[in-house]
Amino acid sequence: MERDGVAHRVPVRYWSEPWIEDSPLPRQIDFDRAHYNVVIVLYDGAMAAAKVRPLWEQYVNEIHAKIASRGKRDLYMVFGDPSGNVGLAPDVQRNIQYARRDLWKTKISISGLETHLLLHVVFTIRDHLKKALDLPDEEDLFVSHAKIDGDETASAIVNYVNSMNNDVPLQTFYDAKALSPGDNFANEFGDAIRKGTLLAIVSDTYDSRPWCVHELTEAKRARRPIVLADIGKVRISRTYPYGANVPRVRVNPVDGETAWIEPLLVESLSEGLRCDLFKLEVASRLGTTDDRVMILPRPPELFDIIDAPLRPETIIYPDPPLATIEATLIAKSLGLGSTSMATIKTLSEIS
């Protein structure tokens, strides 16, 4: 969970200053410091200059060789030169796709460039992890909304994701475009939710709509990534009690503008990445588990305990530990202190 501004607890290192005197290159990357590494190259005119280009090409070629020697567990990403210089030879020879930063200038505002780059990075990392772990790589962004006052916002998000101006290959599930006549919409919704990330457009009427709370509940039950986009304007008469314990982002959609959309997409993909990394870390610590172990991508809540098919013996969830009030309620729901004992631990508490 995010605490003190640290969302993923993934070390990020910045290689810029020359490591050796009279050389433009940064120091070599020690790939053995992590099981998975992500190398992000911000290619620019300084690297493309005739005097230093051969040195950078050798540096990048060594990165490719190291990644290949490690079984391609690591990810290499490169963002093209904003001025349009031809890519580095080791990348061109390997048919490496460059993110076309030279085209961004005509499509993205200056203030949105960093967000767009981050959207690329988070999406590509998630995609790479799925391939590295042989997991299904099709994951839609399920846009849950109330038709009466959330459809315009949901439609703007979906149209932006699917527009020619967006070069991040996201996929969305939006009922107006994802269903065909004759489809069983309940089954289609359930399948998309169980393998996707739920982005809930929480308008004033969202919590009062049966299908909206159904979608939110199904995502909770499947332990999927969930982000709430709060677009409320006047008053919510009743908040759905199980629509909490997940990130909630305040969004102010503006008609005819799209600058508000990409930060919301980054929030959604980042929550998905956080859940991915947590599952990966649990698997590396515990190995195989059975139904007696409940692994939650969020702190446990009463819904998790009551809805579980079997009463868990162990519950593992992300740090930080629950506060006393929440921990006491969870303990009561599990019957702790009686014959029905359970262990509740954060990942850092597992030896």
Side-chain angles (χ1 to χ4, degrees):
M1 297 296 290
E2 183 173 343
R3 181 174 63 178
D4 299 331
V6 180
H8 302 311
R9 293 184 174 82
V10 175
V12 178
R13 298 179 174 87
Y14 182 50
W15 260 236
S16 178
E17 294 298 324
W19 184 243
I20 300 174
E21 189 175 353
D22 297 326
S23 170
L25 301 177
R27 59 176 168 166
Q28 295 293 319
I29 300 170
D30 184 359
F31 283 81
D32 295 330
R33 295 178 67 179
H35 188 79
Y36 297 98
N37 294 278
V38 181
V39 179
I40 300 170
V41 177
L42 301 180
Y43 179 54
D44 60 12
M47 297 181 185
K51 284 187 177 181
V52 300
R53 184 184 181 96
L55 296 175
W56 277 107
E57 290 182 331
Q58 180 181 351
Y59 184 83
V60 167
N61 197 49
E62 291 172 356
I63 289 175
H64 284 302
K66 188 64 176 179
I67 289 175
S69 72
R70 286 167 47 86
K72 297 184 178 180
R73 290 180 305 190
D74 307 304
L75 171 63
Y76 176 84
M77 296 184 65
V78 58
F79 290 84
D81 175 26
S83 300
N85 277 300
V86 175
L88 298 168
D91 295 334
V92 174
Q93 293 164 4
R94 291 173 173 82
N95 299 315
I96 300 295
Q97 177 68 34
Y98 276 40
R100 293 289 304 274
R101 285 197 292 171
D102 57 317
L103 301 180
W104 291 4
K105 293 180 290 185
T106 60
K107 300 177 181 179
I108 303 170
S109 66
I110 293 177
S111 61
L113 289 175
E114 289 185 2
T115 300
H116 192 67
L117 188 146
L118 184 58
L119 185 62
H120 266 285
V121 169
V122 179
F123 173 85
T124 307
I125 291 175
R126 291 201 71 200
D127 186 60
H128 176 76
L129 284 176
K130 287 179 172 61
K131 292 175 180 176
L133 299 172
D134 292 324
L135 298 174
D137 58 358
E138 291 186 7
E139 179 173 332
D140 292 341
L141 183 66
F142 189 103
V143 186
S144 175
H145 62 287
K147 292 293 183 186
I148 189 171
D149 59 354
D151 193 57
E152 188 174 341
T153 300
S155 181
I157 294 169
V158 173
N159 289 339
Y160 181 78
V161 169
N162 295 328
S163 73
M164 293 295 292
N165 288 334
N166 179 34
D167 58 349
V168 182
L170 286 164
Q171 294 179 311
T172 59
F173 186 98
Y174 174 62
D175 54 3
K177 295 184 177 181
L179 298 177
S180 300
D183 283 346
N184 184 317
F185 62 86
N187 291 341
E188 294 291 332
F189 282 13
D191 290 343
I193 290 170
R194 284 188 289 271
K195 66 179 183 181
T197 294
L198 188 87
L199 174 59
I201 310 302
V202 184
S203 56
D204 289 351
T205 66
Y206 182 88
D207 290 70
S208 65
R209 292 297 184 265
W211 273 107
C212 293
V213 298
H214 170 79
E215 292 160 3
L216 187 53
T217 303
E218 283 299 299
K220 273 277 185 80
R221 181 171 286 126
R223 300 170 194 168
R224 299 303 304 164
I226 302 171
V227 170
L228 308 182
D230 184 357
I231 63 167
K233 294 181 179 179
V234 182
R235 180 176 182 270
I236 297 175
S237 58
R238 180 179 183 268
T239 299
Y240 179 56
Y242 308 114
N245 200 29
V246 294
R248 189 182 191 100
V249 182
R250 180 63 187 168
V251 179
N252 294 300
V254 179
D255 291 342
E257 296 185 11
T258 58
W260 57 272
I261 297 177
E262 287 213 342
L264 183 57
L265 296 176
V266 171
E267 288 284 351
S268 301
L269 294 185
S270 295
E271 177 63 6
L273 178 59
R274 186 192 65 77
C275 293
D276 293 343
L277 293 174
F278 179 70
K279 293 175 186 176
L280 187 62
E281 185 65 17
V282 171
S284 69
R285 300 261 191 113
L286 298 184
T288 58
T289 59
D290 55 35
D291 292 338
R292 294 171 296 179
V293 179
M294 177 183 286
I295 300 172
L296 297 171
R298 295 171 281 272
E301 58 181 300
L302 296 179
F303 174 85
D304 299 316
I305 309 303
I306 296 170
D307 194 61
L310 299 174
R311 184 58 61 92
E313 295 182 6
T314 303
I315 298 175
I316 301 171
Y317 66 97
D319 290 281
L322 287 174
T324 302
I325 294 175
E326 289 184 85
T328 301
L329 290 172
I330 295 298
K332 286 182 178 179
S333 71
L334 289 166
L336 295 184
S338 66
T339 57
S340 177
M341 295 296 290
T343 302
I344 310 172
K345 291 183 176 182
T346 64
L347 186 60
S348 65
E349 294 174 319
I350 299 173
S351 58

